[in-house]
Amino acid sequence: MIAEYPDILEGRRASARLYSAVKNGYRGFRRVEGGAYKATTRTVATGPGSKVIRVHAQFIADRQ
């Protein structure tokens, strides 16, 4: 999943909440026996003077 938020105060707060949810296993990103979710954030320039914060969340399966 990739979510984008504007690089303003509200966007930074929303991206931090989503990142924490993924890392801590709540809001639907539950840890299961088959693996867990991992998350990263990036700030990306989308044009002259504008930026967005991208939150990447991915399910990583345990190796069997």
Side-chain angles (χ1 to χ4, degrees):
M1 174 188 86
I2 300 173
E4 285 188 351
Y5 296 97
D7 190 21
I8 58 174
L9 182 60
E10 295 299 320
R12 287 190 291 271
R13 286 180 181 162
S15 64
R17 282 193 298 270
L18 178 59
Y19 177 82
S20 293
V22 173
K23 294 296 272 186
N24 295 315
Y26 57 92
R27 289 193 184 182
F29 296 98
R30 304 196 189 290
R31 293 185 177 94
V32 294
E33 289 189 28
Y37 286 93
K38 304 292 181 190
T40 59
T41 60
R42 300 280 185 267
T43 302
V44 180
T46 58
S50 62
K51 296 180 187 176
V52 295
I53 301 169
R54 287 188 182 153
V55 180
H56 297 254
Q58 179 179 0
F59 182 78
I60 307 295
D62 290 338
R63 294 185 181 191
Q64 303 270 337

